[in-house]
Amino acid sequence: MIIVLKPKATEKDIQRLCTRIKELGLSPHVSRGKERTVIPVIGDERKLENVALMSYPFVEKVMAVLAPFKLVSRESRPRTTVVRARGLVVGEKKIALIAGPCSVEGEAMIVRIAKAVKKAGATALRGGAFKPRTSPYSFQGLGEEGLRHLAAARQATGLAVVTEVLDTRDVELVARYADVLQVGARNMQNFELLKEVGMSRRPVLFKRGISANLKEYLQAAEYILSRGNDQVMLCERGVRSVEDYARNTFDLNAVPILKELTHLPIVTDPSQATGKYSWVEPMSLASVACGADALIIEVHDRPEAAKSDGEQSILPARFARLVRAVRRVARAVGRTA
Ligand code: PEP
Ligand code: MN
């Protein structure tokens, strides 16, 4: 932390501030210049987090040196964390493919699609039983019945199940059926939910909020790790921007940036990011090229009848083609899929 004082700061002000800093176990190193006094503070500056330094009328500026997150930072753990759930491995050389419908609509449907995506090369099945819909009148998911269908699909295929949990009250229930708990974009700053999944023993697929910057996103992820769960995958799924041809603006910058900032593996979701089936494959390939560790893709065998997100769901045959193309790009960037 570097504290810059205003020219009017008196010797008494400086002493007062230094005493406060020392009380917190930190050491101030006062540097008196011609125009300004600057105080670099040595020690864990997070101790100063709850001190409103800017409330001192003689303080002009406060500059943080450390990132506002700790456990998620690459600094704290140089090697990428590998997240494992059954056959799903995210964070190693092999790019993982998570695929399935937006929503679970019935047992036969999810078992059929699970078999199809497995055959094409997926290692995990996605499918929402609790759906966070923009409108309260849209399909809200089958709830526990949907979780049972997902368990049946896992039984039939051996695929790991990834499904969303919306509510702190459902974390235990969803964790009983799921291999991975998905926390959706709309809940990125639902800190109570983050604490709850942080206490669960299930890995978490944690999506970036619709309007969240990466600092806010990593601080939110810190909540999950701070409760003891480090099996967390981050997921870029597009953000709000000026552009509205696509459902969202796919922020692929986030992939290399997050890789520098955090040890957590990075997933991308080209389905929610683009909102259109024909844009999913090119943006999947772009994701692989820029370093994503996994893709999560919506696949439906009757997109026109899907209860949610049919317009961005691809057919199983198209998914099989996508997997082949992903393998080619993966090879070109020194990975496998
Ligand atoms: C989804 O995966 O279907 C979903 C609702 O995702 P997001 O939270 O990214 O909108
Ligand atoms: Mn969806």
Side-chain angles (χ1 to χ4, degrees):
M1 177 87 67
I2 297 167
I3 305 168
V4 182
L5 304 185
K6 289 182 182 163
K8 69 171 188 186
T10 65
E11 205 46 44
K12 210 171 140 205
D13 292 335
I14 296 170
Q15 287 323 316
R16 194 173 135 215
L17 184 56
C18 288
T19 305
R20 183 85 174 92
I21 291 167
K22 285 182 200 154
E23 276 168 11
L24 292 163
L26 302 165
S27 33
H29 294 261
V30 181
S31 167
R32 292 175 178 82
K34 241 193 203 143
E35 312 210 358
R36 289 276 192 292
T37 294
V38 175
I39 312 179
V41 177
I42 307 297
D44 187 350
E45 67 183 23
R46 293 178 188 95
K47 290 183 181 162
L48 280 167
E49 237 161 49
N50 298 322
V51 182
L53 292 168
M54 289 298 289
S55 69
Y56 289 105
F58 54 86
V59 171
E60 182 169 283
K61 204 158 45 172
V62 177
M63 292 177 284
V65 175
L66 296 177
F69 39 82
K70 197 168 176 174
L71 300 172
V72 302
S73 72
R74 176 75 74 181
E75 224 168 65
S76 77
R77 203 189 286 175
R79 284 175 69 96
T80 298
T81 291
V82 179
V83 173
R84 295 172 201 276
R86 278 177 198 270
L88 176 67
V89 181
V90 181
E92 288 192 334
K93 184 176 174 188
K94 188 170 196 276
I95 292 157
L97 300 165
I98 306 163
C102 179
S103 302
V104 180
E105 298 167 12
E107 183 172 322
M109 171 265 195
I110 192 70
V111 170
R112 201 171 62 231
I113 297 176
K115 286 181 177 166
V117 298
K118 181 179 181 181
K119 190 159 168 244
T123 49
L125 174 69
R126 64 148 292 149
F130 294 94
K131 294 303 301 177
R133 305 307 300 282
T134 302
S135 163
Y137 305 116
S138 303
F139 177 61
Q140 304 284 309
L142 295 178
E144 188 169 359
E145 187 195 336
L147 297 175
R148 282 196 292 269
H149 299 333
L150 283 165
R154 173 176 50 219
Q155 180 82 24
T157 59
L159 291 176
V161 163
V162 180
T163 196
E164 183 162 356
V165 58
L166 290 179
D167 192 310
T168 50
R169 293 167 295 187
D170 295 329
V171 172
E172 251 187 71
L173 171 74
V174 178
R176 227 181 295 140
Y177 291 93
D179 298 294
V180 175
L181 303 174
Q182 176 173 326
V183 173
R186 290 156 194 82
N187 271 321
M188 190 205 85
Q189 285 186 319
N190 181 342
F191 300 121
E192 293 309 312
L193 182 62
L194 302 184
K195 289 184 207 164
E196 205 63 38
V197 299
M199 288 187 285
S200 155
R201 285 166 310 282
R202 294 276 179 237
V204 180
L205 190 148
F206 182 42
K207 292 197 164 191
R208 179 181 181 181
I210 293 164
S211 302
N213 66 33
L214 296 178
K215 190 158 92 180
E216 291 161 338
Y217 187 24
L218 289 170
Q219 283 182 288
E222 186 84 9
Y223 265 91
I224 306 176
L225 273 78
S226 73
R227 294 294 155 132
N229 190 350
D230 72 347
Q231 287 283 289
V232 177
M233 307 166 241
L234 299 178
C235 179
E236 164 59 38
R237 45 78 72 211
V239 291
R240 275 270 152 88
S241 80
V242 292
E243 183 50 60
D244 64 359
Y245 270 103
R247 182 175 183 184
N248 290 293
T249 292
F250 204 3
D251 181 13
L252 284 183
N253 286 343
V255 178
I257 296 173
L258 288 171
K259 293 215 143 218
E260 274 185 23
L261 294 175
T262 176
H263 56 83
L264 299 174
I266 315 299
V267 184
T268 70
D269 182 339
S271 307
Q272 322 300 322
T274 61
K276 192 170 168 203
Y277 70 92
S278 57
W279 301 336
V280 172
E281 180 174 326
M283 297 318 289
S284 298
L285 302 184
S287 299
V288 172
C290 70
D293 298 300
L295 302 172
I296 179 165
I297 302 212
E298 286 183 345
V299 177
H300 200 294
D301 52 9
R302 283 186 65 213
E304 69 286 354
K307 293 207 159 121
S308 62
D309 288 350
E311 61 282 16
Q312 67 195 33
S313 299
I314 58 175
L315 290 163
R318 203 175 178 119
F319 176 66
R321 270 203 333 262
L322 178 153
V323 174
R324 289 195 291 273
V326 158
R327 286 184 175 142
R328 289 194 293 273
V329 176
R331 215 174 307 126
V333 295
R335 301 190 71 167
T336 59

